[in-house]
């Protein structure tokens, strides 16, 4: 039904307004606000039978075209027009399901705005105390190599062969759906598989009101760290695809993704100062996370981790024939590309017979140097590349400053040149010609393209990296990490509260991992389908089919490393996705019932 053209009368003025009978009365009041400036909460619209309410029925009111409604209320300031003109993606998400290729989109946005609209991540619907799962899924999505290994296809491609076990298939399908819509996704299919794999997540709350009334109880809140571990264990059979294996390591045999990219190896040495003649016992094990124990003196994540690696215990001594105190010293012999840190915030309290939350404030770093956690042998292998990478990062920061200053100078010069052209009366000079002339002027000490420096850094770091570490697919070359994702818990109880996920924004805009030739390269993609698919210049141009947008013909050059300047985060509160400023990251340190960092995911830094 077409909207009706009606009038509203206020303060002696009659103003035209459109009335759409298919929309609720609140929409009509908003239209009145646009022309009168009367806030909706202070507005009264007189209709047949009294005052228009938000739940009024248009059928009973029966408005007609040309009818005049009396409006009572004090007008405020009229709504201001938007600073930027409203632009539309014409037909992009008409169905709310399919995310089209940028090549096929016709819109009023330029390339940069369009890319931002398409790359915005989506949320997950809370299906009843499933925030723990939603936060975990969003956190694991920050690992592009995982999506490649699962076989998440580009948004315009069909699904490849299904994995053999149900959980990888369900996660692959969920991530695929998340790349093809801008609406929040219902993750019920994945949740059902998760509950089949681990029935613990299907437990119901027997203490609630519904159970007391004899009704089916709601599902219980679960621990996000346990969900994180369950999902990773369910992915243990996923292989590392050939596309991620460099030629130097191709002959090393079959590799599992979780083992290579998310698991470290730790060496534990147990000895007793009371029995120095007793030989220390040494053991090694694979670990999926390192723990940060929180005591009454823990203020920083690093001290909590080192405290967990150095512990004391009592056990029977075979040489002394009695119980003795032993010291256990643990050090990592392998660092994975992705390091998971578990903040041990829940502890069992015997007096109340339940888990309680440790709310102490513990600061965590954005950049973490893990060399203090490894054995002397591994530290010697990683140290050269680690220290050189730190020097490279300082040089990169300096180059960014220089480029920013140069850009500002060029911008001011362009404005001055344009003003001079106007003052001289030269009407034939276009803004583009002025800008081109300014850009063509040589700048003293002009920097080369950033890619030139990065290639030099890559070659130097590869030469410094230890050969054994380089051959270990998915291992960290440097021991330097940057924080990319966080799972937080809000509340005071372990079996209640609310979980949220936080992922660094540039995770979704950074270039994908280097892809080598292999069967997976033709069917997999990262969370950033518009990025270059491979860094291997000799690989087949059809090795990976992506949604790469057509090259820009506007002459506007973009900085491929601009994503490094974006330090803000995405906050995933179930279906709500918002920008979380970098300045607020310290509020997740803890210290109360508000959101506290619980699981942190660090990514190894590369050249």
């Amino acid at each position: 039904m077409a909207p009706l053209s009606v009038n509203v009368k206020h303060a002696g003025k009659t103003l035209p307004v459109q009335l759409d009978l298919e929309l609720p009365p609140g929409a009509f009041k908003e239209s009145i606000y646009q022309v009168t400036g009367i806030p909706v909460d202070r507005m009264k619209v007189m209709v047949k039978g009294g005052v228009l309410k938000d739940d009024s029925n248009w059928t009973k009111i029966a408005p007609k075209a040309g009818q005049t409604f009396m409006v009572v209320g004090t007008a405020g300031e009229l709504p201001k027009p938007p600073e930027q003109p409203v632009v539309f993606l014409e037909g992009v998400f008409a169905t709310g399901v399919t995310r089209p290729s940028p090549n096929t989109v016709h819109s009023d946005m330029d390339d940069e705005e369009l890319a931002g609209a398409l790359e915005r991540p989506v949320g997950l619907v809370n299906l009843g105390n499933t925030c723990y799962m939603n936060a975990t899924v969003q956190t694991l999505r920050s690992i592009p190599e995982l999506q490649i290994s699962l076989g998440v296809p580009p948004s315009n491609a069909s699904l490849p062969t299904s994995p053999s076990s149900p959980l990888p298939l369900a996660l692959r399908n969920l991530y695929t759906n998340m790349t093809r819509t801008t609406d929040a996704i219902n993750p019920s299919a994945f949740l059902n598989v998760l509950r089949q794999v681990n029935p613990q997540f299907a437990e119901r709350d027997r203490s609630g009101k519904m159970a007391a009334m004899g009704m089916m109880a709601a599902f219980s809140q679960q621990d996000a760290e346990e969900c994180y571990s369950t999902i990773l264990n369910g992915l243990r059979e996923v292989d590392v695809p050939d596309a991620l294996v460099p030629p130097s390591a191709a002959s090393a045999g079959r590799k599992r993704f979780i083992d290579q990219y998310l698991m470290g190896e730790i060496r534990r040495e147990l000895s007793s100062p009371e029995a120095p003649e007793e030989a220390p016992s040494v053991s090694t094990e694979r670990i999926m996370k390192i723990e940060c124990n929180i005591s009454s003196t823990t203020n920083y994540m690093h001290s909590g981790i080192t405290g967990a690696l150095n512990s004391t215990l009592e056990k029977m001594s075979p040489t002394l024939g009695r119980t003795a105190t032993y010291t256990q010293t643990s050090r990592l012999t392998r660092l994975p590309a992705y390091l998971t840190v578990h903040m041990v915030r829940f502890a069992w309290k015997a007096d109340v017979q339940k888990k309680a939350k440790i709310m102490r404030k513990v600061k965590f770093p954005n950049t973490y140097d893990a060399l203090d956690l490894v054995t002397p042998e591994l530290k010697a292998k990683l140290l050269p590349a680690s220290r050189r990478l730190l020097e490279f990062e300082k040089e990169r920061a300096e180059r960014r400053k220089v480029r920013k200053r140069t850009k500002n100078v060029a911008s001011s010069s362009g404005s001055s040149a344009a003003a001079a052209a106007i003052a001289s009366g030269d009407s034939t000079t276009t803004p583009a010609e002025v800008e081109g002339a300014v850009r063509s002027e040589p700048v003293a000490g002009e920097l080369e393209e950033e890619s030139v420096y990065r290639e030099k850094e890559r070659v130097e770091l590869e030469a410094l990296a230890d050969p054994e570490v380089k051959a270990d697919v998915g291992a960290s070359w440097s021991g330097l990490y940057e924080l990319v994702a966080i799972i937080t818990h809000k509340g005071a109880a372990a079996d209640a509260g609310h979980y949220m996920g936080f992922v660094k924004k540039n995770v979704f805009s950074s270039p994908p991992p280097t892809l080598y030739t292999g069967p997976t390269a033709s069917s997999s993609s990262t969370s950033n389908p518009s990025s270059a698919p491979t860094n291997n210049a000799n690989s087949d141009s059809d090795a990976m089919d992506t949604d790469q947008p057509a090259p820009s013909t506007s002459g506007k050059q973009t900085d491929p490393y601009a994503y490094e300047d974006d330090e803000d985060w995405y906050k995933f509160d179930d279906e709500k996705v918002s920008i979380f400023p970098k300045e607020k990251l310290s509020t997740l340190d803890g210290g109360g019932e508000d959101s506290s960092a619980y699981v942190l995911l660090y990514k190894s830094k590369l050249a």
Side-chain angles (χ1 to χ4, degrees):
M1 180 184 297
L4 300 178
S5 296
V6 299
N7 301 308
V8 294
K9 189 172 183 180
H10 174 258
K13 297 181 180 180
T14 302
L15 304 168
V17 179
Q18 294 293 311
L19 169 58
D20 192 339
L21 299 181
E22 295 183 355
L23 297 178
F28 182 49
K29 291 182 180 180
E30 183 66 27
S31 299
I32 297 174
Y33 164 63
Q34 297 293 329
V35 297
T36 64
I38 304 174
V40 173
D41 58 344
R42 299 207 305 260
M43 178 191 304
K44 290 185 178 181
V45 182
M46 311 308 295
V47 296
K48 182 175 66 175
V51 178
L52 180 67
K53 298 180 180 179
D54 290 341
D55 58 352
S56 295
N57 190 331
W58 286 123
T59 304
K60 294 182 179 179
I61 298 173
K64 299 178 181 179
Q67 183 175 342
T68 300
F69 296 89
M70 182 69 69
V71 178
V72 179
T74 303
E77 184 180 359
L78 284 171
K80 297 180 180 179
E83 296 182 2
Q84 298 292 335
V86 178
V87 293
F88 301 93
L89 281 173
E90 299 169 1
V92 174
F93 304 118
T95 63
V97 175
T98 302
R99 177 188 294 264
S101 167
N103 289 330
T104 64
V105 173
H106 302 284
S107 76
D108 297 327
M109 296 183 176
D110 60 25
D111 292 343
E112 187 174 349
E113 293 170 328
L114 180 59
L118 294 175
E119 289 179 4
R120 179 102 178 192
V122 300
L124 297 170
V125 176
N126 191 319
L127 302 175
N129 285 336
T130 58
C131 57
Y132 66 92
M133 182 195 72
N134 292 346
T136 300
V137 168
Q138 297 286 12
T139 296
L140 291 176
R141 196 185 176 204
S142 66
I143 307 176
E145 295 90 347
L146 173 60
Q147 297 192 54
I148 293 174
S149 299
L150 288 172
V152 177
S155 57
N156 61 349
S158 59
L159 293 177
T161 304
S162 299
S164 58
S165 53
L167 193 67
L169 173 60
L171 186 60
R172 194 270 308 275
N173 291 341
L174 177 58
Y175 282 153
T176 299
N177 292 334
M178 291 172 71
T179 65
R180 296 183 172 183
T181 181
T182 56
D183 297 327
I185 293 290
N186 184 322
S188 57
F190 178 77
L191 177 62
N192 291 336
V193 174
L194 180 65
R195 287 172 174 166
Q196 292 173 12
V197 172
N198 191 337
Q200 168 190 338
F201 299 112
E203 292 178 353
R204 295 182 179 271
D205 184 5
R206 303 298 178 185
S207 61
K209 294 181 179 179
M210 296 178 67
M213 296 171 59
M215 302 172 63
M216 181 175 290
F219 287 102
S220 300
Q221 176 68 286
Q222 299 291 337
D223 191 311
E225 187 276 326
E226 293 178 0
C227 179
Y228 185 92
S229 299
T230 297
I231 293 177
L232 292 188
N233 283 320
L235 301 176
R236 292 291 292 272
E237 297 302 313
V238 175
D239 290 332
V240 177
D242 293 341
L244 292 175
V245 180
S248 59
S251 61
R254 191 177 185 185
K255 302 178 187 299
R256 303 293 193 184
F257 178 80
I258 299 298
D259 292 344
Q260 297 298 126
Y261 280 85
L262 282 125
M263 295 193 73
E265 188 174 274
I266 197 166
R267 178 179 182 271
R268 304 189 190 278
E269 183 175 308
L270 190 64
S271 61
S272 175
E274 299 179 25
E277 70 283 355
E278 187 177 315
S281 64
V282 178
S283 62
T284 60
E285 65 174 300
R286 304 278 289 180
I287 58 171
M288 201 175 291
K289 61 182 180 294
I290 56 176
E291 295 188 339
C292 173
N293 289 341
I294 302 176
S295 67
S296 59
T297 59
T298 305
N299 295 317
Y300 297 92
M301 185 187 81
H302 182 70
S303 61
I305 293 174
T306 54
L309 294 178
N310 302 299
S311 59
T312 59
L313 56 93
E314 291 186 349
K315 64 185 290 284
M316 180 63 68
S317 170
T319 57
L320 298 177
R322 60 175 176 83
T323 301
T325 300
Y326 283 78
T327 300
Q328 180 172 268
T329 303
S330 305
R331 290 294 180 269
L332 290 158
T333 57
R334 181 186 188 271
L335 286 173
Y338 290 88
L339 185 67
T340 301
V341 178
H342 172 212
M343 294 281 196
V344 186
R345 288 202 170 272
F346 299 121
W348 181 260
K349 296 192 70 174
D351 55 342
V352 294
Q353 291 295 300
K354 63 185 300 185
K355 286 199 298 184
K357 184 177 180 180
I358 302 173
M359 300 188 191
R360 184 174 179 83
K361 183 175 183 179
V362 179
K363 297 182 179 180
F364 54 87
N366 289 326
T367 300
Y368 186 55
D369 187 343
L371 291 189
D372 289 340
L373 311 181
V374 305
T375 60
E377 296 81 8
L378 181 58
K379 186 173 184 178
K381 294 178 180 179
L382 302 181
L383 195 59
S386 174
R387 294 302 168 254
R388 190 69 182 107
L389 182 55
L390 287 175
E391 295 173 0
F392 283 154
E393 291 189 333
K394 292 180 181 179
E395 294 170 5
R396 293 172 189 173
E398 289 300 321
R399 290 197 298 270
R400 280 196 291 269
K401 291 180 182 178
V402 171
R403 287 193 175 92
K404 189 174 182 180
R405 288 197 298 266
T406 303
K407 182 178 180 181
N408 292 337
V409 170
S411 178
S412 60
S413 300
S415 300
S416 300
I422 295 173
S424 63
D426 185 0
S427 60
T428 62
T429 304
T430 65
E433 290 173 340
V434 172
E435 183 180 358
V438 171
R439 277 204 302 248
S440 65
E441 295 179 0
V443 179
E446 186 174 1
L447 295 173
E448 297 181 273
E449 291 290 333
E450 182 63 20
S451 58
V452 176
Y453 296 100
R454 296 303 177 97
E455 179 60 21
K456 293 178 181 178
E457 293 173 359
R458 184 189 65 79
V459 172
E460 185 174 345
L461 281 179
E462 283 198 0
L464 290 173
D466 184 83
E468 292 184 10
V469 177
K470 286 171 58 177
D472 187 359
V473 177
S476 173
W477 289 13
S478 63
L480 291 176
Y481 291 87
E482 64 173 328
L483 184 63
V484 294
I486 309 171
I487 298 175
T488 65
H489 177 267
K490 181 178 182 179
D495 55 355
H498 183 58
Y499 291 97
M500 290 186 289
F502 294 79
V503 178
K504 203 169 186 179
K505 278 184 65 181
N506 62 28
V507 167
F508 296 92
S509 56
S510 59
T514 301
L515 296 184
Y516 304 91
T517 56
T520 309
S522 63
S523 63
S524 42
S525 76
T526 67
S527 57
N528 181 28
S530 62
S531 298
T534 179
N535 293 335
N536 187 350
N538 298 323
S539 62
D540 185 358
S541 61
D542 295 327
M544 182 177 177
D545 183 19
T546 65
D547 295 275
Q548 191 168 355
S552 173
T553 58
S554 64
K556 181 180 178 181
Q557 295 184 356
T558 58
D559 181 5
Y561 299 96
Y563 69 92
E564 295 179 344
D565 294 330
D566 192 349
E567 297 290 328
D568 288 336
W569 290 65
Y570 283 122
K571 174 183 175 181
F572 295 94
D573 184 0
D574 291 326
E575 61 267 26
K576 301 175 185 176
V577 182
S578 58
I579 303 297
F580 191 75
K582 61 179 180 180
E583 294 81 10
K584 287 189 174 183
L585 204 61
S586 60
T587 62
L588 306 180
D589 291 340
E593 293 188 14
D594 209 351
S595 293
S596 306
Y598 185 39
V599 177
L600 302 102
L601 184 63
Y602 285 87
K603 178 182 180 179
S604 179
K605 291 190 174 185
L606 302 174

